[in-house]
């Protein structure tokens, strides 16, 4: 405060000095002024006043208080960061910079709203103008005349400029909401009140029926609205019996195309032994046709494993593998049993439990992290403990800033024994070091888990490479401290070699074009060729001609002959999904193409079945617990297969 008072002008100062000093006082409202001082002794003969940091003593000749604030926050590339600033002060400066940035953004948006010459206002005026044009529906679109002018170049430029200014009539019509739904002139010229009445009617139905608001994100929502809008006045919606009867059956018939959820079986009255499961799986295989079944994925429980292997023995062309997501979950469980990991997870759980069980600490931490949560929802249903550790480590600075802030130290919680323990836990450097080590070692495995547990693309072509890449990454991160990584590697190798690794995974790797033509990568995995040959022998069981054709076509693919060597095929190796790439460029090797498409379109995980049970629970709720099994099965069948389309 002394520096502010010293800079205040006296009544005898000149007007020029007064105006200058007033500007300085306004600038000193920034909180960063409390952490620096003006240093005239360092300025020398220059007119600029230097600022000196109160923590590290570094001085700044230019850039003003904003540059000094970047020094406190440690923004890389702008200015040398302060290494002595307290954590809570740095966090406060970061929040201040973010608040200023948001304020500038809002000011800019408000300026556009109030600017009569902005694009937004121009678009609004055009919409109002064209609404006022047509009180009747007899407005006709006049097709634009062709501009095949025979004049000079100057005349062409003038006509082109006029066209650009006037635009075409399509610019003033709303785009189609769904393919095939042609909007009428009347719907485009409806006034705002009519649209609002319609929106209110839809919202009122959703609120009355307790329908979740995110239902509007369904791709069938706008289709329904378009279909209703296309009907004449007096259309009556289907009643209760029609929806649950005829229309449900009709939807069941319509979704029986492509990849489908086939059915569920009520096996609650039987013991799930290996023989019982084998009979159940065999019945499904025979109903579909064993020649149409490529791959069966089951849980890793002993009875499922025994049933899967028996199925593979009795059907020579069929492949079985355990659920990759479940195997990775077991790896995470084994890692969680390590003493150091167990203690770190318990330490982190103690921090989060205390914060979430007390209102004021929860309020404070949300204030310091901008309203976010310490524990974020996991993107996968497995490995939640390690994903939680990642999240807590990301909020390390905010947690430390909170327990050292004035709000915390002056509160009653800081004097409580549990509150003191929270402070000790958060400021414990050994905990944060151990947490960082665990996160570095488990991040590559969680990345693999996201691949196999994702719905975005089939994971068969990526699992083999992803597991080896994760193992190499773990070794690379602790190259100088191998003793730390060794227990983790033993767990990974045990599960991979004895349980997860299957020939089909190696085939997916070998047939994936984005890996096949990386010679350095393929040299690291020569055993993948043996896996491919084993699969070819099973796939061509009893057909030596097919086996010979497949081995010959392997050379075409490996040597990039025929269509495999096209420039477009080379460019699309990483751009297209592997199975799509084979559909496009594999016609020169028809037998290998068929095998590649069948393998590369497979999943490695049974997570979809787990999520399918959540669909059952969502549909078979307390309010709908009288649904008989067949109708429940039909509802899940339609719901699940609509998602697959």
């Amino acid at each position: 405060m002394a520096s502010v008072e010293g800079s205040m002008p006296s009544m005898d100062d000149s007007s020029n000095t007064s105006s200058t000093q007033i500007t300085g006082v306004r600038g000193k409202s920034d909180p960063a002024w409390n952490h620096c001082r003006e240093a005239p002794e360092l300025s020398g003969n220059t007119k600029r006043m230097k600022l000196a940091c109160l923590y590290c003593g570094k001085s700044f000749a230019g850039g003003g208080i904003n540059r000094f604030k970047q020094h406190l926050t440690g923004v890389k590339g702008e200015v040398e960061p302060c290494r002595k600033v307290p954590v809570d002060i740095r966090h406060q400066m970061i929040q201040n910079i973010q608040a200023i940035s948001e304020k500038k953004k809002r000011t800019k948006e408000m300026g556009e709203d109030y600017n009569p010459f902005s694009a937004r206002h121009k678009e609004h005026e055009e919409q109002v103008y064209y609404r006022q044009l047509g009180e009747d529906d007899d407005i006709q679109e006049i097709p634009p005349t062709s501009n095949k002018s025979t004049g000079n170049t100057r005349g062409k430029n003038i006509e082109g400029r006029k066209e650009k200014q006037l635009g075409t009539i399509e610019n003033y019509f709303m785009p189609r909401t769904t393919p095939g739904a042609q909007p009428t002139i009347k719907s485009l010229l409806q006034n705002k009140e009519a649209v609002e009445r319609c929106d209110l009617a839809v919202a009122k139905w959703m609120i009355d029926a307790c329908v979740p608001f995110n239902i509007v994100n369904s791709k069938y929502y706008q289709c329904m609205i378009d279909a209703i809008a296309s009907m004449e006045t007096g259309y009556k919606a289907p009643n209760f019996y029609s929806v649950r009867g005829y229309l449900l059956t009709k939807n069941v018939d319509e979704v029986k195309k492509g990849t489908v959820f086939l059915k569920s079986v009520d096996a609650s009255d039987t013991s799930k032994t290996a023989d019982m499961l084998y009979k159940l799986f065999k019945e499904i295989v025979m109903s579909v046709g064993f020649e149409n079944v490529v791959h069966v994925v089951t849980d890793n429980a002993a009875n499922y494993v025994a049933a899967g292997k028996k199925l593979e023995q009795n059907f020579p062309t069929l492949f079985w593998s355990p659920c990759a997501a479940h195997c990775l979950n077991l790896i995470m469980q084994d890692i969680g049993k390590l003493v150091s990991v167990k203690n770190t997870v318990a330490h982190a759980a103690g921090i989060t439990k205390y914060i979430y069980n007390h209102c004021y600490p929860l309020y404070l931490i949300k204030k310091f992290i901008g309203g976010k949560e310490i524990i974020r929802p996991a993107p996968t249903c497995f490995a939640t403990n390690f994903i939680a550790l990642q999240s807590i480590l990301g909020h390390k600075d905010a947690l430390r800033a909170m327990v050292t802030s004035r709000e915390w130290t002056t509160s009653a919680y800081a004097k409580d024994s549990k509150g003191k323990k929270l402070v000790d836990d958060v400021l414990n450097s050994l905990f944060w070091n151990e947490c960082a080590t665990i996160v570095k070692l488990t991040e590559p495995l969680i990345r693999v888990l996201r691949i196999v547990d994702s719905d975005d693309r089939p994971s068969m072509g990526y699992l083999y490479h992803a597991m080896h890449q994760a193992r190499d990454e773990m070794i690379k991160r602790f190259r100088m401290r191998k003793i730390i990584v060794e227990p983790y590697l033993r767990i990974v190798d045990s599960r991979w070699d004895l349980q997860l690794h299957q020939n089909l995974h190696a085939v997916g790797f070998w047939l994936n074009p984005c890996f096949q033509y990386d010679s350095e990568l393929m040299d690291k995995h020569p055993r993948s060729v043996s896996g491919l040959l084993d699969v070819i022998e099973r796939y061509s069981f009893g057909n030596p001609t097919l086996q010979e054709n497949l081995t010959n076509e392997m050379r075409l693919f490996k040597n990039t002959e025929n269509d495999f060597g096209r420039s477009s095929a080379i460019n699309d190796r990483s751009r297209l999904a592997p199975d799509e790439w084979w559909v496009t460029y594999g016609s020169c090797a028809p037998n290998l193409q068929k095998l590649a498409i069948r393998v590369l379109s497979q999943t490695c995980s049974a997570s979809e079945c787990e999520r399918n049970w959540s669909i059952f629970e969502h549909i078979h709720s307390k309010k709908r617990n009288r649904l008989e099994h067949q109708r429940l099965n039909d509802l899940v069948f339609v719901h699940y297969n609509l998602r697959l389309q």
Side-chain angles (χ1 to χ4, degrees), residues 297-300 320-328 382 500 604-607:
V297 184
T298 69
D299 196 347
N300 289 276
W320 167 85
S321 71
C323 173
H326 191 219
C327 285
L328 285 163
F382 300 119
L500 180 55
C604 297
S605 170
S607 301

Side-chain angles (χ1 to χ4, degrees), residues 189-300:
L189 301 178
Q190 287 292 333
N191 57 29
K192 188 176 180 180
E193 289 76 11
V195 174
E196 188 172 357
R197 280 199 306 273
C198 186
D199 292 345
L200 281 171
V202 174
K204 189 177 294 183
W205 168 76
M206 293 175 66
I207 295 168
D208 177 68
C210 298
V211 177
F213 294 132
N214 63 358
I215 200 72
V216 300
N217 296 327
S218 168
K219 65 178 182 179
Y220 299 100
Y221 175 73
Q222 188 60 47
C223 295
M224 174 190 70
I225 300 297
D226 291 338
I228 294 172
S230 66
M231 298 297 292
E232 296 294 334
T233 306
Y235 166 73
K236 299 296 182 182
N239 60 24
F240 169 76
Y241 299 100
S242 176
V243 173
R244 75 194 296 264
Y246 170 75
L247 293 177
L248 176 59
T249 305
K250 190 76 174 176
N251 274 290
V252 170
D253 295 335
E254 284 188 0
V255 297
K256 288 181 178 179
K257 299 173 183 177
T259 304
V260 296
F261 161 72
L262 196 59
K263 70 174 182 177
S264 64
V265 177
D266 184 3
S268 57
D269 59 336
T270 57
S271 177
K272 297 177 183 61
T273 62
D275 291 336
M276 176 267 175
L277 292 172
Y278 167 71
K279 290 178 182 177
L280 184 61
F281 296 157
K282 181 180 178 182
E283 180 184 343
I284 299 297
V285 170
M286 295 304 294
S287 65
V288 175
F290 70 90
E291 69 279 359
N292 299 319
V293 179
V294 179
H295 185 209
V296 175
V297 184
T298 69
D299 196 347
N300 289 276

Side-chain angles (χ1 to χ4, degrees), residues 91-108:
H91 189 75
Q92 181 185 357
M93 294 300 107
I94 291 173
Q95 285 189 318
N96 181 263
I97 288 178
Q98 291 174 347
I100 292 173
S101 176
E102 288 293 328
K103 185 177 179 181
K104 288 181 178 178
K105 184 179 178 181
R106 286 196 300 269
T107 304
K108 183 180 178 182

Side-chain angles (χ1 to χ4, degrees), residues 3 12 14 34 110 113 188 195 215 217 274 294 309 311 318 389 406 412 513 519 532 538 552 565 577 591 626:
S3 62
D12 298 332
S14 64
N34 297 327
M110 289 173 65
D113 289 338
L188 292 172
V195 174
I215 200 72
N217 296 327
V294 179
K309 289 183 177 180
L311 199 67
L318 182 147
L389 282 181
R406 180 172 296 179
S519 57
L532 174 62
R538 285 186 63 87
N552 290 334
N591 299 291
R626 294 176 62 187

